[in-house]
Amino acid sequence: MPDKPPCLPDTLVLPEKTLLGCGKILTLLPECARFGHRGILLHGAALTSGRILNDLLDRAPPGLAVLPFRHLGEEPTLTEVTKLIEAAHHHGAEWIAGVGGGSVLDLGKAAAALFHTTHPVSDYHDGRAIEQPGITFLAAPTTAGTGSEATLNSVLTNTETGAKKSIRNIGMMARVVILDPDLIASCPSPVIAAAGMDALTQAIEAFTSRKATWLSDQLALQGVALISAHLESVYRDPKAPQSEALLTGSYLAGVALSFARLGVVHGLAHPLGTLYHVPHGLVCAACLPHALELNRDAFGDKYRILSETVGADLITRIGDLSRNLGVVSPFAGREVREREKTIAETLASGSTQANPKAITRADVEWILDRLFSPA
Ligand SMILES: [Fe+2]
């Protein structure tokens, strides 16, 4: 790892506007109106269970034609992206606003970025470049975890091939981000725990990535500090005032990873998440201690800095935090399925290639052996 990373990445893309605070979600549709009179309000199931969806629609500016579109749940697929693009064309949408967890936001940003493309979505999932800009995307997360509101990529699954990977494009950056603690107040505690461990993993991996810059270091380290300090409080009470700090930490981690990238935990997370159908945050939480041990020497002074930031030896703190959050490994004591495929996909991942230690096949096997050994 170089002693002095560059100050900035070669390309820096950020949200144009970020709004933070309780009640800010009510400004979403007025913000949307700046980008056109017709648009899609994409949301998950959580938004329909309370008053928020109706409150948003009640406050729509006059003349704004809003089509609500509900994500059915689970992780987004290429088929869903295609359906959303078709609905957006039929409605004449000029923007897509996503209010939801990482799946909702990844679905919305992909549909917005691919709106004007002419090839099947699978072509872009397989690496075809997006030929022209899409329509505006706005994002309001309902979990403090994925950081998807501030990233340039959308993680999608091709259900025909089973491939789960990202489409990455600068057009996927949200123009407006709304971080409203009211949106996570009804989030179930296990979701807070899993999402928070994803956010913490992302902050640590962005901080230690071989693509890290001075700027990403500042953002990622503050993300580590905020998430480590406040995740347990919000887990115990999602209405706790610390939820604003947790949302901020998750957002900072997202901004950092959007240009610093990640590491081997996220390289493993996609194949393991697809094979075992377990929440992404739980995969991250299970893999993180092993990846930290593997990477410890390659971190250099950053291991000490991270330990000081969380107030204890980093690996010990991660273990304690997982226990306090009731996070249990979904892999311990199980059989490794499709070992060769998992190793190949992990080694090919862009996240793995940003890992501070150059990852070999033997390294992936080392992590898998520990991950699947009995607890
Ligand atoms: Fe993640």
Side-chain angles (χ1 to χ4, degrees), residues 145-146 198-199 201-202 257 262 266 269 280 284:
T146 67
D198 178 25
T201 304
Q202 292 178 167
L257 82 86
L262 291 162
H266 278 79
H280 172 71
C284 291

Side-chain angles (χ1 to χ4, degrees), residues 104-190:
V104 169
L105 301 186
D106 279 6
L107 175 60
K109 71 169 77 166
L114 295 170
F115 183 82
H116 289 303
T117 56
T118 52
H119 294 270
V121 173
S122 58
D123 284 10
Y124 302 96
H125 198 235
D126 289 336
R128 186 185 187 92
I130 297 174
E131 300 90 345
Q132 54 187 321
I135 57 176
T136 299
F137 176 62
L138 306 89
T142 57
T143 59
T146 67
S148 179
E149 69 276 11
T151 67
L152 298 170
N153 64 298
S154 166
V155 183
L156 302 168
T157 299
N158 181 335
T159 50
E160 289 185 11
T161 64
K164 178 182 175 183
K165 55 189 177 181
S166 288
I167 301 177
R168 185 176 168 85
N169 184 272
I170 60 171
M172 290 196 182
M173 181 57 77
R175 296 282 292 275
V176 176
V177 174
I178 297 181
L179 303 175
D180 186 336
D182 288 346
L183 291 177
I184 63 170
S186 57
C187 198
S189 287

